[in-house]
């Protein structure tokens, strides 16, 4: 606990050079923080950016206050606060050639908005310069004389003609909930000699509510009795508002992150429930002369939160044919995965019912049009006949299958078909391709090979260049591994699916 001041022992100011160095450091740091704040891109819809902006505002406020306090420290403590040359008066600061009210000039300009603007609510009116937000007072218990600095009148919104308030009058301007705190601090100071250090709220004459921080000590006479009490009162309303903005924007950011984590978990679980239960390689249609060896894989986007509506699937149909399909819906999150689940479920059901690929695409287009969650999608549906070794397929705005034969790959000619959900009553064409034992099909969504623009086919050419290596692979799983080695480590903006189908015989 600091020792009480004695009335007959004036305070000694610190060395000017030390304080000057601290002021220079504070100026430089304030300018650097303000530059970071001004360069930051502010998006009111982004909780993270609101939190960052609130932190910068708070740091600037604290550095401004620090600069003002250092300026007062350099000016020295007056013997009688409240006079024209009292503590914190402009005349004293000007005598040192550097008024702290100019401290905001350390940066290129003032704050672009009110303190705590990132909080999203209007700020109360500013009380003026940094200098006017710190005032001082002394209450003489022997003469009942009260001295207030000019700044204290401004803080309390009290006219000079009304005069300073006594210790008994001050509680009338204090919030009723805070009055016991003020009374306890004053009592402890006057009776027990304890220093004052606390905050309370006041209601000014103009009905404005301000938060002030009061520090002070008793001044003892030669006999050790309390002769007077001095205090420094600082308006910390804007500082506390900035601190509250940081807390609430941080809480908002955490709630947003929690929602994102929850939504991502739901999307992942829904995706895992809908995509094929098998992973790696699957053999089916093995009763025919040309069975299939299939391997598939889902590749997530670089951002862990972007769970999209990509799918792949393969299953044996009741007549012995095989269904092969890949597709991609626009969007991410639960909305995209739930729409994908709906579409893939309908696709499986219609394929089992014997609906051909072109008609199936038309039904999916109609389903997506009438969905409660409108979206666009690309899809490819293939029906493989293991007896005739023919692939009948249709597509809706989707990359064509790549056929590898004898170590050379090519894209199959696409039949006509627009994106799902793009046009009412759209008609889709079918194409038929004969396959040979040893042929390899690579079906994928556009996220695997997407280039910088629509005409960029670099990704497709890289995939086709794998032809000789794919020809030497043992099975579909080994072929899939080669594809993933080429594309799996890339940082992609969108998720993707790839399915490798090898014809046996």
């Amino acid at each position: 606990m600091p020792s009480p001041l004695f009335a007959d022992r004036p305070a000694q100011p610190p060395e000017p050079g030390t304080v000057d160095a601290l002021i220079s450091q504070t100026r430089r740091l304030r300018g650097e923080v303000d530059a970071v704040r001004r360069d930051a891109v502010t998006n009111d819809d982004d909780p993270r950016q609101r939190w960052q902006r609130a932190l910068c505002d708070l740091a600037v406020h604290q550095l401004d206050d620090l600069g003002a306090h250092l300026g007062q420290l350099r000016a020295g403590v007056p013997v009688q606060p409240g006079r024209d040359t009292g503590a914190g008066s402009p005349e004293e600061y000007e005598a040192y050639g550097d008024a702290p009210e100019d401290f905001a000039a350390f940066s290129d300009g003032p704050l672009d908005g009110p303190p705590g603007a990132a909080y999203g609510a209007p700020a109360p009116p500013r009380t003026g310069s940094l200098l006017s937000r710190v005032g001082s007072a002394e209450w003489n218990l022997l003469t009942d004389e009260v001295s207030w600095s000019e700044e204290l009148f401004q803080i309390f919104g009290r006219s000079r003609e009304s005069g300073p308030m006594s210790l008994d009058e001050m509680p009338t301007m204090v919030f009723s909930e805070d009055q016991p705190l003020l009374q306890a601090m004053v009592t402890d100071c006057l009776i027990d000699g304890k220093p004052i250090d606390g905050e309370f709220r006041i209601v000014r004459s103009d009905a404005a509510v301000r938060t002030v921080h009061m520090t002070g000590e008793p001044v003892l006479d030669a006999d050790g009795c309390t002769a007077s009490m001095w205090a420094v009162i600082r308006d910390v309303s804007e500082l506390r508002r900035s601190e509250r903005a940081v807390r609430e924007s941080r809480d908002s950011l955490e709630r947003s992150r929690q929602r994102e984590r929850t939504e991502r978990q739901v999307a992942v679980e829904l995706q895992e429930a809908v995509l094929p239960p098998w992973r790696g390689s699957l053999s089916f249609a093995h009763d025919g002369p040309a069975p299939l060896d299939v391997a598939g894989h889902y590749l997530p986007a670089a951002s862990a939160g972007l769970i999209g509506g990509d799918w792949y699937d393969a299953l044996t149909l009741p007549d012995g044919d095989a269904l092969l399909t890949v597709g991609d819906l626009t969007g991410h999150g639960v909305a995209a995965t739930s729409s994908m689940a709906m579409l893939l479920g309908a696709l499986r059901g219609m394929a089992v019912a014997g609906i051909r690929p072109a008609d199936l695409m038309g039904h999916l287009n109609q389903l997506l049009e009438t969905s409660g969650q409108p979206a666009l999608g690309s899809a490819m549906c293939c029906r493989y006949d293991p007896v005739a070794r023919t692939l009948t397929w249709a597509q809706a705005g989707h990359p064509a299958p790549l056929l590898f034969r004898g170590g050379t790959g090519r894209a199959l000619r696409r039949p006509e078909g627009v994106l799902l959900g793009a046009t009412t009553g759209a008609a889709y064409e079918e194409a038929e391709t004969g396959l040979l034992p040893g042929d390899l099909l690579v079906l994928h969504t556009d996220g695997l090979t997407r280039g910088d623009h629509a005409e960029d086919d670099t990704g497709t050419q890289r995939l086709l260049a794998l032809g000789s290596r794919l020809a030497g692979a043992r099975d579909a799983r080994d072929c899939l591994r080669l594809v993933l080695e080429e594309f799996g480590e890339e940082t992609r903006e969108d998720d993707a699916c790839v399915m490798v189908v090898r014809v046996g015989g």
Side-chain angles (χ1 to χ4, degrees), residues 239-268:
L239 177 62
R240 297 297 175 254
R241 177 181 174 81
S242 293
E243 291 173 342
R244 185 172 67 252
V246 170
R247 290 194 303 271
E248 300 206 7
S249 60
R250 182 183 61 237
D251 293 342
S252 175
L253 175 60
E254 181 55 34
R255 289 193 299 269
S256 175
R257 286 175 171 173
Q258 182 60 40
R259 286 194 300 269
E260 290 175 358
R261 287 193 294 267
T262 302
E263 180 175 332
R264 184 182 186 279
Q265 183 61 31
V266 171
V268 168

mmCIF file of all heavy atoms in Angstrom, residues 239-268:
data_model
loop_
_atom_site.group_PDB
_atom_site.id
_atom_site.type_symbol
_atom_site.label_atom_id
_atom_site.label_comp_id
_atom_site.label_asym_id
_atom_site.label_seq_id
_atom_site.Cartn_x
_atom_site.Cartn_y
_atom_site.Cartn_z
ATOM 1 N N LEU A 239 -13.204 3.959 -22.793
ATOM 2 C CA LEU A 239 -12.307 2.823 -22.612
ATOM 3 C C LEU A 239 -13.089 1.577 -22.215
ATOM 4 O O LEU A 239 -12.871 0.486 -22.762
ATOM 5 C CB LEU A 239 -11.261 3.160 -21.546
ATOM 6 C CG LEU A 239 -10.274 2.038 -21.191
ATOM 7 C CD1 LEU A 239 -9.450 1.644 -22.412
ATOM 8 C CD2 LEU A 239 -9.375 2.472 -20.049
ATOM 9 N N ARG A 240 -14.002 1.728 -21.263
ATOM 10 C CA ARG A 240 -14.803 0.563 -20.850
ATOM 11 C C ARG A 240 -15.708 0.095 -21.979
ATOM 12 O O ARG A 240 -15.968 -1.102 -22.122
ATOM 13 C CB ARG A 240 -15.629 0.913 -19.614
ATOM 14 C CG ARG A 240 -14.793 1.249 -18.390
ATOM 15 C CD ARG A 240 -13.961 0.068 -17.945
ATOM 16 N NE ARG A 240 -13.073 0.420 -16.836
ATOM 17 C CZ ARG A 240 -11.772 0.589 -16.972
ATOM 18 N NH1 ARG A 240 -11.185 0.433 -18.155
ATOM 19 N NH2 ARG A 240 -11.036 0.909 -15.928
ATOM 20 N N ARG A 241 -16.191 1.033 -22.763
ATOM 21 C CA ARG A 241 -17.019 0.642 -23.904
ATOM 22 C C ARG A 241 -16.196 -0.178 -24.894
ATOM 23 O O ARG A 241 -16.668 -1.196 -25.412
ATOM 24 C CB ARG A 241 -17.586 1.886 -24.593
ATOM 25 C CG ARG A 241 -18.400 1.554 -25.846
ATOM 26 C CD ARG A 241 -18.924 2.798 -26.514
ATOM 27 N NE ARG A 241 -19.570 2.446 -27.764
ATOM 28 C CZ ARG A 241 -20.797 1.980 -27.879
ATOM 29 N NH1 ARG A 241 -21.511 1.777 -26.782
ATOM 30 N NH2 ARG A 241 -21.314 1.696 -29.049
ATOM 31 N N SER A 242 -14.962 0.243 -25.142
ATOM 32 C CA SER A 242 -14.107 -0.521 -26.047
ATOM 33 C C SER A 242 -13.807 -1.902 -25.478
ATOM 34 O O SER A 242 -13.788 -2.893 -26.208
ATOM 35 C CB SER A 242 -12.795 0.240 -26.291
ATOM 36 O OG SER A 242 -13.027 1.424 -27.011
ATOM 37 N N GLU A 243 -13.571 -1.968 -24.170
ATOM 38 C CA GLU A 243 -13.326 -3.275 -23.548
ATOM 39 C C GLU A 243 -14.564 -4.166 -23.664
ATOM 40 O O GLU A 243 -14.447 -5.369 -23.921
ATOM 41 C CB GLU A 243 -12.956 -3.085 -22.078
ATOM 42 C CG GLU A 243 -11.604 -2.430 -21.868
ATOM 43 C CD GLU A 243 -11.328 -2.097 -20.425
ATOM 44 O OE1 GLU A 243 -12.296 -2.050 -19.628
ATOM 45 O OE2 GLU A 243 -10.156 -1.877 -20.081
ATOM 46 N N ARG A 244 -15.737 -3.566 -23.487
ATOM 47 C CA ARG A 244 -16.962 -4.347 -23.626
ATOM 48 C C ARG A 244 -17.152 -4.811 -25.066
ATOM 49 O O ARG A 244 -17.600 -5.938 -25.321
ATOM 50 C CB ARG A 244 -18.168 -3.513 -23.181
ATOM 51 C CG ARG A 244 -19.481 -4.315 -23.172
ATOM 52 C CD ARG A 244 -20.612 -3.524 -22.535
ATOM 53 N NE ARG A 244 -20.991 -2.364 -23.308
ATOM 54 C CZ ARG A 244 -20.730 -1.115 -22.969
ATOM 55 N NH1 ARG A 244 -20.056 -0.851 -21.858
ATOM 56 N NH2 ARG A 244 -21.122 -0.107 -23.729
ATOM 57 N N ALA A 245 -16.769 -3.942 -26.015
ATOM 58 C CA ALA A 245 -16.866 -4.328 -27.422
ATOM 59 C C ALA A 245 -15.967 -5.526 -27.715
ATOM 60 O O ALA A 245 -16.344 -6.434 -28.460
ATOM 61 C CB ALA A 245 -16.487 -3.144 -28.320
ATOM 62 N N VAL A 246 -14.763 -5.532 -27.118
ATOM 63 C CA VAL A 246 -13.856 -6.667 -27.321
ATOM 64 C C VAL A 246 -14.466 -7.936 -26.743
ATOM 65 O O VAL A 246 -14.476 -8.997 -27.379
ATOM 66 C CB VAL A 246 -12.485 -6.383 -26.684
ATOM 67 C CG1 VAL A 246 -11.617 -7.641 -26.676
ATOM 68 C CG2 VAL A 246 -11.773 -5.277 -27.443
ATOM 69 N N ARG A 247 -14.991 -7.834 -25.511
ATOM 70 C CA ARG A 247 -15.575 -9.024 -24.881
ATOM 71 C C ARG A 247 -16.752 -9.564 -25.687
ATOM 72 O O ARG A 247 -16.857 -10.778 -25.939
ATOM 73 C CB ARG A 247 -16.038 -8.694 -23.459
ATOM 74 C CG ARG A 247 -14.926 -8.453 -22.463
ATOM 75 C CD ARG A 247 -15.483 -8.481 -21.042
ATOM 76 N NE ARG A 247 -16.552 -7.504 -20.841
ATOM 77 C CZ ARG A 247 -16.363 -6.258 -20.445
ATOM 78 N NH1 ARG A 247 -15.129 -5.818 -20.230
ATOM 79 N NH2 ARG A 247 -17.387 -5.445 -20.275
ATOM 80 N N GLU A 248 -17.653 -8.665 -26.085
ATOM 81 C CA GLU A 248 -18.856 -9.140 -26.756
ATOM 82 C C GLU A 248 -18.563 -9.607 -28.181
ATOM 83 O O GLU A 248 -19.186 -10.554 -28.663
ATOM 84 C CB GLU A 248 -19.919 -8.043 -26.733
ATOM 85 C CG GLU A 248 -20.299 -7.643 -25.323
ATOM 86 C CD GLU A 248 -21.692 -7.085 -25.231
ATOM 87 O OE1 GLU A 248 -22.432 -7.125 -26.237
ATOM 88 O OE2 GLU A 248 -22.062 -6.587 -24.153
ATOM 89 N N SER A 249 -17.622 -8.932 -28.863
ATOM 90 C CA SER A 249 -17.270 -9.416 -30.206
ATOM 91 C C SER A 249 -16.532 -10.744 -30.114
ATOM 92 O O SER A 249 -16.692 -11.615 -30.972
ATOM 93 C CB SER A 249 -16.417 -8.372 -30.943
ATOM 94 O OG SER A 249 -15.212 -8.103 -30.254
ATOM 95 N N ARG A 250 -15.724 -10.926 -29.044
ATOM 96 C CA ARG A 250 -15.057 -12.214 -28.844
ATOM 97 C C ARG A 250 -16.088 -13.311 -28.574
ATOM 98 O O ARG A 250 -15.995 -14.415 -29.109
ATOM 99 C CB ARG A 250 -14.075 -12.115 -27.674
ATOM 100 C CG ARG A 250 -13.298 -13.401 -27.416
ATOM 101 C CD ARG A 250 -12.386 -13.285 -26.216
ATOM 102 N NE ARG A 250 -13.147 -13.018 -25.006
ATOM 103 C CZ ARG A 250 -12.956 -11.970 -24.215
ATOM 104 N NH1 ARG A 250 -12.020 -11.089 -24.509
ATOM 105 N NH2 ARG A 250 -13.690 -11.793 -23.125
ATOM 106 N N ASP A 251 -17.091 -12.995 -27.753
ATOM 107 C CA ASP A 251 -18.148 -13.974 -27.487
ATOM 108 C C ASP A 251 -18.927 -14.289 -28.755
ATOM 109 O O ASP A 251 -19.295 -15.442 -29.004
ATOM 110 C CB ASP A 251 -19.103 -13.438 -26.411
ATOM 111 C CG ASP A 251 -18.427 -13.309 -25.045
ATOM 112 O OD1 ASP A 251 -17.361 -13.942 -24.863
ATOM 113 O OD2 ASP A 251 -18.958 -12.586 -24.183
ATOM 114 N N SER A 252 -19.188 -13.247 -29.562
ATOM 115 C CA SER A 252 -19.897 -13.473 -30.820
ATOM 116 C C SER A 252 -19.080 -14.342 -31.755
ATOM 117 O O SER A 252 -19.618 -15.233 -32.430
ATOM 118 C CB SER A 252 -20.200 -12.117 -31.492
ATOM 119 O OG SER A 252 -20.770 -12.290 -32.762
ATOM 120 N N LEU A 253 -17.759 -14.101 -31.781
ATOM 121 C CA LEU A 253 -16.881 -14.921 -32.617
ATOM 122 C C LEU A 253 -16.895 -16.369 -32.158
ATOM 123 O O LEU A 253 -16.959 -17.289 -32.972
ATOM 124 C CB LEU A 253 -15.457 -14.357 -32.568
ATOM 125 C CG LEU A 253 -14.371 -15.169 -33.292
ATOM 126 C CD1 LEU A 253 -14.692 -15.295 -34.773
ATOM 127 C CD2 LEU A 253 -13.005 -14.521 -33.091
ATOM 128 N N GLU A 254 -16.853 -16.590 -30.850
ATOM 129 C CA GLU A 254 -16.855 -17.959 -30.328
ATOM 130 C C GLU A 254 -18.181 -18.650 -30.642
ATOM 131 O O GLU A 254 -18.214 -19.842 -30.987
ATOM 132 C CB GLU A 254 -16.609 -17.944 -28.817
ATOM 133 C CG GLU A 254 -16.564 -19.323 -28.186
ATOM 134 C CD GLU A 254 -15.546 -20.244 -28.836
ATOM 135 O OE1 GLU A 254 -14.484 -19.757 -29.271
ATOM 136 O OE2 GLU A 254 -15.832 -21.457 -28.929
ATOM 137 N N ARG A 255 -19.295 -17.911 -30.522
ATOM 138 C CA ARG A 255 -20.593 -18.509 -30.877
ATOM 139 C C ARG A 255 -20.639 -18.853 -32.353
ATOM 140 O O ARG A 255 -21.170 -19.907 -32.741
ATOM 141 C CB ARG A 255 -21.734 -17.543 -30.516
ATOM 142 C CG ARG A 255 -21.969 -17.388 -29.031
ATOM 143 C CD ARG A 255 -23.285 -16.680 -28.760
ATOM 144 N NE ARG A 255 -23.307 -15.339 -29.322
ATOM 145 C CZ ARG A 255 -22.924 -14.252 -28.668
ATOM 146 N NH1 ARG A 255 -22.463 -14.358 -27.422
ATOM 147 N NH2 ARG A 255 -22.993 -13.057 -29.230
ATOM 148 N N SER A 256 -20.090 -17.961 -33.182
ATOM 149 C CA SER A 256 -20.059 -18.242 -34.622
ATOM 150 C C SER A 256 -19.216 -19.474 -34.916
ATOM 151 O O SER A 256 -19.596 -20.332 -35.727
ATOM 152 C CB SER A 256 -19.509 -17.023 -35.370
ATOM 153 O OG SER A 256 -19.362 -17.281 -36.738
ATOM 154 N N ARG A 257 -18.063 -19.580 -34.249
ATOM 155 C CA ARG A 257 -17.209 -20.750 -34.456
ATOM 156 C C ARG A 257 -17.899 -22.028 -33.995
ATOM 157 O O ARG A 257 -17.781 -23.079 -34.629
ATOM 158 C CB ARG A 257 -15.897 -20.554 -33.700
ATOM 159 C CG ARG A 257 -14.946 -19.559 -34.350
ATOM 160 C CD ARG A 257 -13.721 -19.336 -33.479
ATOM 161 N NE ARG A 257 -12.712 -18.546 -34.177
ATOM 162 C CZ ARG A 257 -11.621 -18.098 -33.601
ATOM 163 N NH1 ARG A 257 -11.389 -18.344 -32.312
ATOM 164 N NH2 ARG A 257 -10.741 -17.387 -34.294
ATOM 165 N N GLN A 258 -18.620 -21.924 -32.873
ATOM 166 C CA GLN A 258 -19.321 -23.099 -32.372
ATOM 167 C C GLN A 258 -20.400 -23.536 -33.351
ATOM 168 O O GLN A 258 -20.588 -24.744 -33.598
ATOM 169 C CB GLN A 258 -19.931 -22.795 -31.001
ATOM 170 C CG GLN A 258 -20.647 -23.982 -30.356
ATOM 171 C CD GLN A 258 -19.736 -25.167 -30.134
ATOM 172 O OE1 GLN A 258 -18.586 -25.007 -29.748
ATOM 173 N NE2 GLN A 258 -20.225 -26.369 -30.404
ATOM 174 N N ARG A 259 -21.125 -22.561 -33.923
ATOM 175 C CA ARG A 259 -22.143 -22.903 -34.921
ATOM 176 C C ARG A 259 -21.496 -23.563 -36.140
ATOM 177 O O ARG A 259 -22.037 -24.538 -36.685
ATOM 178 C CB ARG A 259 -22.907 -21.651 -35.347
ATOM 179 C CG ARG A 259 -23.888 -21.149 -34.320
ATOM 180 C CD ARG A 259 -24.838 -20.140 -34.943
ATOM 181 N NE ARG A 259 -24.132 -18.985 -35.488
ATOM 182 C CZ ARG A 259 -23.868 -17.882 -34.824
ATOM 183 N NH1 ARG A 259 -24.247 -17.771 -33.553
ATOM 184 N NH2 ARG A 259 -23.245 -16.867 -35.398
ATOM 185 N N GLU A 260 -20.343 -23.008 -36.565
ATOM 186 C CA GLU A 260 -19.658 -23.584 -37.718
ATOM 187 C C GLU A 260 -19.190 -25.012 -37.430
ATOM 188 O O GLU A 260 -19.305 -25.889 -38.279
ATOM 189 C CB GLU A 260 -18.463 -22.708 -38.102
ATOM 190 C CG GLU A 260 -18.851 -21.363 -38.688
ATOM 191 C CD GLU A 260 -17.644 -20.474 -38.935
ATOM 192 O OE1 GLU A 260 -16.513 -20.915 -38.599
ATOM 193 O OE2 GLU A 260 -17.814 -19.359 -39.451
ATOM 194 N N ARG A 261 -18.652 -25.233 -36.207
ATOM 195 C CA ARG A 261 -18.210 -26.588 -35.852
ATOM 196 C C ARG A 261 -19.379 -27.560 -35.821
ATOM 197 O O ARG A 261 -19.280 -28.692 -36.307
ATOM 198 C CB ARG A 261 -17.502 -26.561 -34.490
ATOM 199 C CG ARG A 261 -16.125 -25.933 -34.504
ATOM 200 C CD ARG A 261 -15.374 -26.218 -33.220
ATOM 201 N NE ARG A 261 -15.983 -25.580 -32.072
ATOM 202 C CZ ARG A 261 -15.632 -24.390 -31.610
ATOM 203 N NH1 ARG A 261 -14.662 -23.709 -32.206
ATOM 204 N NH2 ARG A 261 -16.214 -23.874 -30.541
ATOM 205 N N THR A 262 -20.500 -27.092 -35.252
ATOM 206 C CA THR A 262 -21.678 -27.957 -35.184
ATOM 207 C C THR A 262 -22.208 -28.271 -36.573
ATOM 208 O O THR A 262 -22.531 -29.422 -36.889
ATOM 209 C CB THR A 262 -22.772 -27.284 -34.337
ATOM 210 O OG1 THR A 262 -22.264 -27.025 -33.028
ATOM 211 C CG2 THR A 262 -24.001 -28.170 -34.243
ATOM 212 N N GLU A 263 -22.296 -27.227 -37.408
ATOM 213 C CA GLU A 263 -22.804 -27.444 -38.768
ATOM 214 C C GLU A 263 -21.878 -28.359 -39.554
ATOM 215 O O GLU A 263 -22.343 -29.239 -40.291
ATOM 216 C CB GLU A 263 -22.943 -26.102 -39.486
ATOM 217 C CG GLU A 263 -23.472 -26.252 -40.908
ATOM 218 C CD GLU A 263 -23.723 -24.929 -41.593
ATOM 219 O OE1 GLU A 263 -24.011 -23.950 -40.891
ATOM 220 O OE2 GLU A 263 -23.630 -24.886 -42.842
ATOM 221 N N ARG A 264 -20.578 -28.168 -39.388
ATOM 222 C CA ARG A 264 -19.634 -29.026 -40.108
ATOM 223 C C ARG A 264 -19.768 -30.466 -39.652
ATOM 224 O O ARG A 264 -19.748 -31.393 -40.471
ATOM 225 C CB ARG A 264 -18.197 -28.540 -39.889
ATOM 226 C CG ARG A 264 -17.199 -29.363 -40.700
ATOM 227 C CD ARG A 264 -15.762 -28.928 -40.472
ATOM 228 N NE ARG A 264 -14.868 -29.641 -41.381
ATOM 229 C CZ ARG A 264 -14.434 -30.880 -41.174
ATOM 230 N NH1 ARG A 264 -14.825 -31.543 -40.095
ATOM 231 N NH2 ARG A 264 -13.629 -31.460 -42.053
ATOM 232 N N GLN A 265 -19.928 -30.680 -38.339
ATOM 233 C CA GLN A 265 -20.066 -32.043 -37.834
ATOM 234 C C GLN A 265 -21.320 -32.697 -38.388
ATOM 235 O O GLN A 265 -21.302 -33.877 -38.786
ATOM 236 C CB GLN A 265 -20.109 -32.030 -36.305
ATOM 237 C CG GLN A 265 -20.174 -33.406 -35.665
ATOM 238 C CD GLN A 265 -18.961 -34.263 -35.994
ATOM 239 O OE1 GLN A 265 -17.867 -33.734 -36.180
ATOM 240 N NE2 GLN A 265 -19.153 -35.566 -36.086
ATOM 241 N N VAL A 266 -22.426 -31.941 -38.424
ATOM 242 C CA VAL A 266 -23.668 -32.484 -38.985
ATOM 243 C C VAL A 266 -23.486 -32.811 -40.459
ATOM 244 O O VAL A 266 -23.929 -33.861 -40.945
ATOM 245 C CB VAL A 266 -24.828 -31.486 -38.783
ATOM 246 C CG1 VAL A 266 -26.065 -31.938 -39.544
ATOM 247 C CG2 VAL A 266 -25.138 -31.332 -37.304
ATOM 248 N N ALA A 267 -22.801 -31.884 -41.202
ATOM 249 C CA ALA A 267 -22.586 -32.112 -42.633
ATOM 250 C C ALA A 267 -21.714 -33.338 -42.868
ATOM 251 O O ALA A 267 -21.988 -34.143 -43.767
ATOM 252 C CB ALA A 267 -21.943 -30.873 -43.270
ATOM 253 N N VAL A 268 -20.661 -33.496 -42.055
ATOM 254 C CA VAL A 268 -19.779 -34.657 -42.209
ATOM 255 C C VAL A 268 -20.537 -35.948 -41.930
ATOM 256 O O VAL A 268 -20.424 -36.938 -42.670
ATOM 257 C CB VAL A 268 -18.557 -34.526 -41.271
ATOM 258 C CG1 VAL A 268 -17.786 -35.834 -41.201
ATOM 259 C CG2 VAL A 268 -17.645 -33.406 -41.755
#
